[in-house]
Amino acid sequence: MAIETATAQMPPRPMRADARRNYERLLTEARTAFTRHGTDASLEDIARRAGVGIGTLYRHFPNRTALMGAVFQVEICALLERSRELAKEPRPCQALIDWLRAIVDHASTYRGLSRALMACSGDETSALSRGCGLPLREAGSELLARAQQSGAVRSDVVIADLMQLTNAIALAVEQSPDDPELADRLLALAFTGLKAR
């Protein structure tokens, strides 16, 4: 039992140089593939373009959602930083809207991402949920609470519903690439229903 506890507390071993190079090449190729072909892009093609076998891809990323979580980590960090900046905005409701708009922009960059985020929203053990969904939900909770405390947003609105709504808007935007105003119209419509009476 003591051996198991000690093992569980040990930090992960650093990657060898060749493993680190493979990992970075896989992330680069996955980001390119997800941008061009969506999150359903072939994992075999990603591995081939990275110059490794599919087994190497799976050693680094046990499933598609783990790979997606790793690919989107940079963008998630930027969205979290944006939420911290917006937390200082003197207009809390506008800060919340601006942040949700940034999420729509991010999700609609990669075809299929909003659908994947919606699918994993109830599974907190998913790599995509842990790496993307939960951190965004926590950041959004703070912005939502400020908007509610200011009296601008109804008190019965919860962040989980708001994130699902935002992902649905991103999915609609993804399906309508010829309508650049769609996200703003749908967000405005959503916020009409969220406003405190």
mmCIF file of all heavy atoms in Angstrom, residues 157-191:
data_model
loop_
_atom_site.group_PDB
_atom_site.id
_atom_site.type_symbol
_atom_site.label_atom_id
_atom_site.label_comp_id
_atom_site.label_asym_id
_atom_site.label_seq_id
_atom_site.Cartn_x
_atom_site.Cartn_y
_atom_site.Cartn_z
ATOM 1 N N VAL A 157 -29.630 31.770 -13.910
ATOM 2 C CA VAL A 157 -28.765 31.297 -15.001
ATOM 3 C C VAL A 157 -27.565 30.584 -14.387
ATOM 4 O O VAL A 157 -26.940 31.086 -13.455
ATOM 5 C CB VAL A 157 -28.293 32.479 -15.879
ATOM 6 C CG1 VAL A 157 -27.309 32.003 -16.938
ATOM 7 C CG2 VAL A 157 -29.476 33.183 -16.504
ATOM 8 N N VAL A 158 -27.249 29.395 -14.906
ATOM 9 C CA VAL A 158 -26.088 28.636 -14.424
ATOM 10 C C VAL A 158 -25.069 28.513 -15.549
ATOM 11 O O VAL A 158 -25.423 28.473 -16.728
ATOM 12 C CB VAL A 158 -26.482 27.243 -13.878
ATOM 13 C CG1 VAL A 158 -27.372 27.375 -12.649
ATOM 14 C CG2 VAL A 158 -27.153 26.405 -14.941
ATOM 15 N N ILE A 159 -23.810 28.426 -15.178
ATOM 16 C CA ILE A 159 -22.730 28.434 -16.163
ATOM 17 C C ILE A 159 -22.779 27.212 -17.086
ATOM 18 O O ILE A 159 -22.467 27.324 -18.273
ATOM 19 C CB ILE A 159 -21.339 28.567 -15.485
ATOM 20 C CG1 ILE A 159 -20.257 28.889 -16.537
ATOM 21 C CG2 ILE A 159 -20.989 27.332 -14.692
ATOM 22 C CD1 ILE A 159 -20.458 30.167 -17.303
ATOM 23 N N ALA A 160 -23.190 26.052 -16.573
ATOM 24 C CA ALA A 160 -23.237 24.859 -17.431
ATOM 25 C C ALA A 160 -24.188 25.079 -18.605
ATOM 26 O O ALA A 160 -23.862 24.747 -19.750
ATOM 27 C CB ALA A 160 -23.659 23.635 -16.622
ATOM 28 N N ASP A 161 -25.358 25.679 -18.339
ATOM 29 C CA ASP A 161 -26.310 25.959 -19.416
ATOM 30 C C ASP A 161 -25.761 27.001 -20.382
ATOM 31 O O ASP A 161 -25.924 26.894 -21.598
ATOM 32 C CB ASP A 161 -27.649 26.451 -18.847
ATOM 33 C CG ASP A 161 -28.391 25.367 -18.089
ATOM 34 O OD1 ASP A 161 -28.024 24.183 -18.212
ATOM 35 O OD2 ASP A 161 -29.335 25.719 -17.351
ATOM 36 N N LEU A 162 -25.100 28.005 -19.829
ATOM 37 C CA LEU A 162 -24.545 29.070 -20.657
ATOM 38 C C LEU A 162 -23.439 28.541 -21.568
ATOM 39 O O LEU A 162 -23.343 28.928 -22.740
ATOM 40 C CB LEU A 162 -24.018 30.195 -19.755
ATOM 41 C CG LEU A 162 -23.731 31.536 -20.388
ATOM 42 C CD1 LEU A 162 -24.903 32.051 -21.194
ATOM 43 C CD2 LEU A 162 -23.342 32.537 -19.310
ATOM 44 N N MET A 163 -22.616 27.614 -21.066
ATOM 45 C CA MET A 163 -21.556 27.028 -21.891
ATOM 46 C C MET A 163 -22.155 26.154 -22.995
ATOM 47 O O MET A 163 -21.675 26.170 -24.128
ATOM 48 C CB MET A 163 -20.589 26.213 -21.023
ATOM 49 C CG MET A 163 -19.794 27.054 -20.025
ATOM 50 S SD MET A 163 -18.807 28.357 -20.774
ATOM 51 C CE MET A 163 -17.556 27.391 -21.594
ATOM 52 N N GLN A 164 -23.211 25.400 -22.673
ATOM 53 C CA GLN A 164 -23.861 24.588 -23.708
ATOM 54 C C GLN A 164 -24.462 25.490 -24.783
ATOM 55 O O GLN A 164 -24.362 25.203 -25.974
ATOM 56 C CB GLN A 164 -24.954 23.700 -23.085
ATOM 57 C CG GLN A 164 -24.415 22.501 -22.323
ATOM 58 C CD GLN A 164 -23.818 21.443 -23.229
ATOM 59 O OE1 GLN A 164 -22.786 21.647 -23.871
ATOM 60 N NE2 GLN A 164 -24.453 20.293 -23.288
ATOM 61 N N LEU A 165 -25.075 26.586 -24.353
ATOM 62 C CA LEU A 165 -25.659 27.540 -25.295
ATOM 63 C C LEU A 165 -24.569 28.139 -26.188
ATOM 64 O O LEU A 165 -24.732 28.260 -27.407
ATOM 65 C CB LEU A 165 -26.398 28.639 -24.530
ATOM 66 C CG LEU A 165 -27.104 29.712 -25.347
ATOM 67 C CD1 LEU A 165 -28.176 29.098 -26.232
ATOM 68 C CD2 LEU A 165 -27.723 30.745 -24.413
ATOM 69 N N THR A 166 -23.444 28.477 -25.596
ATOM 70 C CA THR A 166 -22.328 29.046 -26.353
ATOM 71 C C THR A 166 -21.795 28.029 -27.365
ATOM 72 O O THR A 166 -21.506 28.375 -28.516
ATOM 73 C CB THR A 166 -21.205 29.501 -25.400
ATOM 74 O OG1 THR A 166 -21.755 30.432 -24.477
ATOM 75 C CG2 THR A 166 -20.066 30.151 -26.144
ATOM 76 N N ASN A 167 -21.663 26.773 -26.952
ATOM 77 C CA ASN A 167 -21.203 25.732 -27.879
ATOM 78 C C ASN A 167 -22.212 25.515 -29.000
ATOM 79 O O ASN A 167 -21.831 25.259 -30.145
ATOM 80 C CB ASN A 167 -20.927 24.426 -27.134
ATOM 81 C CG ASN A 167 -19.622 24.479 -26.375
ATOM 82 O OD1 ASN A 167 -18.644 25.028 -26.852
ATOM 83 N ND2 ASN A 167 -19.606 23.923 -25.185
ATOM 84 N N ALA A 168 -23.495 25.625 -28.677
ATOM 85 C CA ALA A 168 -24.531 25.483 -29.715
ATOM 86 C C ALA A 168 -24.423 26.631 -30.730
ATOM 87 O O ALA A 168 -24.575 26.419 -31.937
ATOM 88 C CB ALA A 168 -25.915 25.457 -29.077
ATOM 89 N N ILE A 169 -24.147 27.826 -30.246
ATOM 90 C CA ILE A 169 -23.954 28.965 -31.149
ATOM 91 C C ILE A 169 -22.725 28.725 -32.028
ATOM 92 O O ILE A 169 -22.762 28.959 -33.241
ATOM 93 C CB ILE A 169 -23.844 30.287 -30.364
ATOM 94 C CG1 ILE A 169 -25.204 30.630 -29.740
ATOM 95 C CG2 ILE A 169 -23.339 31.427 -31.256
ATOM 96 C CD1 ILE A 169 -25.170 31.798 -28.761
ATOM 97 N N ALA A 170 -21.647 28.232 -31.425
ATOM 98 C CA ALA A 170 -20.433 27.934 -32.206
ATOM 99 C C ALA A 170 -20.719 26.875 -33.264
ATOM 100 O O ALA A 170 -20.228 26.969 -34.391
ATOM 101 C CB ALA A 170 -19.314 27.476 -31.277
ATOM 102 N N LEU A 171 -21.531 25.889 -32.930
ATOM 103 C CA LEU A 171 -21.900 24.851 -33.892
ATOM 104 C C LEU A 171 -22.715 25.441 -35.040
ATOM 105 O O LEU A 171 -22.489 25.115 -36.210
ATOM 106 C CB LEU A 171 -22.691 23.746 -33.187
ATOM 107 C CG LEU A 171 -23.029 22.503 -33.995
ATOM 108 C CD1 LEU A 171 -21.782 21.849 -34.571
ATOM 109 C CD2 LEU A 171 -23.802 21.513 -33.135
ATOM 110 N N ALA A 172 -23.638 26.345 -34.709
ATOM 111 C CA ALA A 172 -24.435 27.007 -35.752
ATOM 112 C C ALA A 172 -23.534 27.837 -36.663
ATOM 113 O O ALA A 172 -23.702 27.835 -37.892
ATOM 114 C CB ALA A 172 -25.502 27.893 -35.109
ATOM 115 N N VAL A 173 -22.556 28.535 -36.085
ATOM 116 C CA VAL A 173 -21.613 29.347 -36.871
ATOM 117 C C VAL A 173 -20.795 28.450 -37.788
ATOM 118 O O VAL A 173 -20.571 28.763 -38.961
ATOM 119 C CB VAL A 173 -20.702 30.173 -35.935
ATOM 120 C CG1 VAL A 173 -19.542 30.800 -36.689
ATOM 121 C CG2 VAL A 173 -21.523 31.242 -35.215
ATOM 122 N N GLU A 174 -20.372 27.315 -37.261
ATOM 123 C CA GLU A 174 -19.591 26.360 -38.054
ATOM 124 C C GLU A 174 -20.390 25.881 -39.266
ATOM 125 O O GLU A 174 -19.836 25.694 -40.349
ATOM 126 C CB GLU A 174 -19.235 25.176 -37.151
ATOM 127 C CG GLU A 174 -18.523 24.051 -37.818
ATOM 128 C CD GLU A 174 -18.375 22.869 -36.872
ATOM 129 O OE1 GLU A 174 -17.910 23.069 -35.742
ATOM 130 O OE2 GLU A 174 -18.741 21.752 -37.279
ATOM 131 N N GLN A 175 -21.689 25.698 -39.081
ATOM 132 C CA GLN A 175 -22.539 25.195 -40.162
ATOM 133 C C GLN A 175 -22.961 26.290 -41.149
ATOM 134 O O GLN A 175 -23.543 25.993 -42.183
ATOM 135 C CB GLN A 175 -23.803 24.547 -39.566
ATOM 136 C CG GLN A 175 -23.525 23.360 -38.669
ATOM 137 C CD GLN A 175 -22.812 22.237 -39.392
ATOM 138 O OE1 GLN A 175 -23.164 21.893 -40.515
ATOM 139 N NE2 GLN A 175 -21.798 21.669 -38.763
ATOM 140 N N SER A 176 -22.682 27.562 -40.799
ATOM 141 C CA SER A 176 -23.089 28.683 -41.665
ATOM 142 C C SER A 176 -21.902 29.599 -41.949
ATOM 143 O O SER A 176 -21.903 30.770 -41.546
ATOM 144 C CB SER A 176 -24.205 29.478 -40.990
ATOM 145 O OG SER A 176 -25.270 28.641 -40.636
ATOM 146 N N PRO A 177 -20.881 29.095 -42.633
ATOM 147 C CA PRO A 177 -19.667 29.900 -42.835
ATOM 148 C C PRO A 177 -19.887 31.164 -43.670
ATOM 149 O O PRO A 177 -19.061 32.072 -43.639
ATOM 150 C CB PRO A 177 -18.711 28.929 -43.538
ATOM 151 C CG PRO A 177 -19.587 27.900 -44.158
ATOM 152 C CD PRO A 177 -20.794 27.791 -43.282
ATOM 153 N N ASP A 178 -20.993 31.240 -44.407
ATOM 154 C CA ASP A 178 -21.244 32.412 -45.246
ATOM 155 C C ASP A 178 -22.006 33.515 -44.520
ATOM 156 O O ASP A 178 -22.417 34.493 -45.149
ATOM 157 C CB ASP A 178 -22.028 31.999 -46.504
ATOM 158 C CG ASP A 178 -21.239 31.022 -47.361
ATOM 159 O OD1 ASP A 178 -19.992 31.089 -47.339
ATOM 160 O OD2 ASP A 178 -21.871 30.178 -48.029
ATOM 161 N N ASP A 179 -22.209 33.370 -43.216
ATOM 162 C CA ASP A 179 -22.952 34.367 -42.440
ATOM 163 C C ASP A 179 -22.079 34.869 -41.293
ATOM 164 O O ASP A 179 -22.197 34.406 -40.154
ATOM 165 C CB ASP A 179 -24.250 33.746 -41.912
ATOM 166 C CG ASP A 179 -25.164 34.763 -41.264
ATOM 167 O OD1 ASP A 179 -24.753 35.931 -41.095
ATOM 168 O OD2 ASP A 179 -26.301 34.391 -40.913
ATOM 169 N N PRO A 180 -21.190 35.849 -41.559
ATOM 170 C CA PRO A 180 -20.254 36.307 -40.527
ATOM 171 C C PRO A 180 -20.913 37.020 -39.345
ATOM 172 O O PRO A 180 -20.292 37.182 -38.301
ATOM 173 C CB PRO A 180 -19.317 37.253 -41.288
ATOM 174 C CG PRO A 180 -20.087 37.679 -42.488
ATOM 175 C CD PRO A 180 -20.998 36.544 -42.832
ATOM 176 N N GLU A 181 -22.163 37.437 -39.490
ATOM 177 C CA GLU A 181 -22.864 38.142 -38.409
ATOM 178 C C GLU A 181 -23.634 37.194 -37.494
ATOM 179 O O GLU A 181 -24.188 37.622 -36.481
ATOM 180 C CB GLU A 181 -23.851 39.161 -39.001
ATOM 181 C CG GLU A 181 -23.244 40.107 -40.020
ATOM 182 C CD GLU A 181 -22.163 40.979 -39.422
ATOM 183 O OE1 GLU A 181 -22.364 41.453 -38.279
ATOM 184 O OE2 GLU A 181 -21.125 41.171 -40.073
ATOM 185 N N LEU A 182 -23.689 35.920 -37.851
ATOM 186 C CA LEU A 182 -24.548 34.984 -37.132
ATOM 187 C C LEU A 182 -24.220 34.891 -35.645
ATOM 188 O O LEU A 182 -25.118 34.925 -34.802
ATOM 189 C CB LEU A 182 -24.485 33.594 -37.774
ATOM 190 C CG LEU A 182 -25.373 32.520 -37.151
ATOM 191 C CD1 LEU A 182 -26.846 32.922 -37.243
ATOM 192 C CD2 LEU A 182 -25.145 31.172 -37.822
ATOM 193 N N ALA A 183 -22.955 34.773 -35.294
ATOM 194 C CA ALA A 183 -22.581 34.629 -33.879
ATOM 195 C C ALA A 183 -23.072 35.814 -33.062
ATOM 196 O O ALA A 183 -23.643 35.634 -31.981
ATOM 197 C CB ALA A 183 -21.067 34.480 -33.747
ATOM 198 N N ASP A 184 -22.869 37.031 -33.575
ATOM 199 C CA ASP A 184 -23.298 38.214 -32.823
ATOM 200 C C ASP A 184 -24.816 38.268 -32.683
ATOM 201 O O ASP A 184 -25.337 38.618 -31.616
ATOM 202 C CB ASP A 184 -22.777 39.487 -33.488
ATOM 203 C CG ASP A 184 -21.261 39.603 -33.371
ATOM 204 O OD1 ASP A 184 -20.717 39.225 -32.321
ATOM 205 O OD2 ASP A 184 -20.632 40.062 -34.339
ATOM 206 N N ARG A 185 -25.530 37.898 -33.741
ATOM 207 C CA ARG A 185 -27.002 37.900 -33.668
ATOM 208 C C ARG A 185 -27.501 36.888 -32.645
ATOM 209 O O ARG A 185 -28.385 37.180 -31.834
ATOM 210 C CB ARG A 185 -27.619 37.606 -35.037
ATOM 211 C CG ARG A 185 -27.511 38.733 -36.026
ATOM 212 C CD ARG A 185 -28.487 38.587 -37.193
ATOM 213 N NE ARG A 185 -28.643 37.247 -37.723
ATOM 214 C CZ ARG A 185 -27.867 36.720 -38.675
ATOM 215 N NH1 ARG A 185 -26.870 37.433 -39.201
ATOM 216 N NH2 ARG A 185 -28.077 35.506 -39.123
ATOM 217 N N LEU A 186 -26.925 35.682 -32.671
ATOM 218 C CA LEU A 186 -27.379 34.642 -31.751
ATOM 219 C C LEU A 186 -27.010 34.965 -30.306
ATOM 220 O O LEU A 186 -27.798 34.714 -29.386
ATOM 221 C CB LEU A 186 -26.812 33.281 -32.164
ATOM 222 C CG LEU A 186 -27.356 32.712 -33.482
ATOM 223 C CD1 LEU A 186 -26.663 31.400 -33.821
ATOM 224 C CD2 LEU A 186 -28.862 32.527 -33.421
ATOM 225 N N LEU A 187 -25.815 35.528 -30.100
ATOM 226 C CA LEU A 187 -25.438 35.926 -28.740
ATOM 227 C C LEU A 187 -26.356 37.036 -28.222
ATOM 228 O O LEU A 187 -26.775 37.010 -27.060
ATOM 229 C CB LEU A 187 -23.981 36.393 -28.683
ATOM 230 C CG LEU A 187 -22.932 35.290 -28.598
ATOM 231 C CD1 LEU A 187 -21.537 35.854 -28.814
ATOM 232 C CD2 LEU A 187 -23.007 34.564 -27.256
ATOM 233 N N ALA A 188 -26.687 37.995 -29.073
ATOM 234 C CA ALA A 188 -27.590 39.076 -28.671
ATOM 235 C C ALA A 188 -28.962 38.516 -28.323
ATOM 236 O O ALA A 188 -29.576 38.909 -27.318
ATOM 237 C CB ALA A 188 -27.701 40.119 -29.783
ATOM 238 N N LEU A 189 -29.437 37.581 -29.122
ATOM 239 C CA LEU A 189 -30.732 36.952 -28.860
ATOM 240 C C LEU A 189 -30.703 36.188 -27.535
ATOM 241 O O LEU A 189 -31.632 36.276 -26.725
ATOM 242 C CB LEU A 189 -31.073 36.017 -30.020
ATOM 243 C CG LEU A 189 -32.440 35.363 -30.009
ATOM 244 C CD1 LEU A 189 -33.546 36.423 -30.032
ATOM 245 C CD2 LEU A 189 -32.578 34.445 -31.219
ATOM 246 N N ALA A 190 -29.616 35.451 -27.311
ATOM 247 C CA ALA A 190 -29.478 34.686 -26.059
ATOM 248 C C ALA A 190 -29.483 35.633 -24.865
ATOM 249 O O ALA A 190 -30.136 35.365 -23.853
ATOM 250 C CB ALA A 190 -28.196 33.858 -26.081
ATOM 251 N N PHE A 191 -28.761 36.736 -24.967
ATOM 252 C CA PHE A 191 -28.674 37.644 -23.828
ATOM 253 C C PHE A 191 -29.967 38.403 -23.572
ATOM 254 O O PHE A 191 -30.209 38.844 -22.453
ATOM 255 C CB PHE A 191 -27.462 38.566 -23.952
ATOM 256 C CG PHE A 191 -26.289 37.977 -23.252
ATOM 257 C CD1 PHE A 191 -25.443 37.113 -23.925
ATOM 258 C CD2 PHE A 191 -26.073 38.217 -21.911
ATOM 259 C CE1 PHE A 191 -24.384 36.513 -23.276
ATOM 260 C CE2 PHE A 191 -25.022 37.622 -21.255
ATOM 261 C CZ PHE A 191 -24.170 36.771 -21.919
#
